[in-house]
Amino acid sequence: MTAIFKRGALALVLAMALLVIVPSAQSTATEAAWARLAQGGYTILLGFSRAPGGGEPLRPDIGDCESRNSLTDRGIQEARRIGMRFAARAVSINSVYAGEFCRALQTAELGFGARNVETRSYLNSIVGGADPDQIPAELIAAVEEFNGAGNLLMVTHPVLIKAISGTTPREGEAIIIAPGEKPGDKPRVINRLLLD
């Protein structure tokens, strides 16, 4: 009876230790990501915030977001929170690019201010039936050409982020990338940043 109790107590202690260690490791990784961004010179890929299901047509109408799927109330709050996180950390953002789909554009505008956002069609992901694993050459060129003192932020679809990083980002997760080893190569993943 005593041996069973001791094993149960040991299992409980180990489980509690894991609960303490895992968030601590994630917190450390996130702090390292913020420290990298404070140095500047990186590109940040961010997926759009929560949107209603059903998807949008493959050919988005620019400026017609009133009649399109937009963000849910929770998605609106998430987008604003993301912008506040960057502001609270005083991370410099030189430029904000967004895909033309309403959910990406609205995420960028709510988080970083409408007048600071520029649309880029290459962030539209799989528009026109493109291969979801194909990374647009324009995106690769933008990452290679960026050399600001701050960072470049791109708001896009998770499918495009997966093509670059190899995994679908978790909700509230940004991927920090830098140019590939050689010109034209796929961008390298430098770090991941949990924003929620």
Side-chain angles (χ1 to χ4, degrees), residues 77-111:
Q77 292 169 3
E78 284 174 1
R80 289 181 176 145
R81 256 196 327 271
I82 287 168
M84 287 189 287
R85 295 247 194 291
F86 279 90
R89 293 288 185 145
V91 168
S92 177
I93 302 291
N94 284 37
S95 301
V96 180
Y97 298 162
E100 297 166 305
F101 281 95
C102 293
R103 58 188 71 176
L105 183 58
Q106 289 174 345
T107 298
E109 289 178 344
L110 287 167

Side-chain angles (χ1 to χ4, degrees), residues 56-60 101 121 124-136 157 159-160:
E56 294 186 77
L58 289 179
R59 297 186 182 273
F101 281 95
S121 61
N124 289 345
S125 181
I126 55 172
V127 171
D131 180 351
D133 294 324
Q134 184 70 37
I135 301 165
H157 285 59
V159 171
L160 185 54

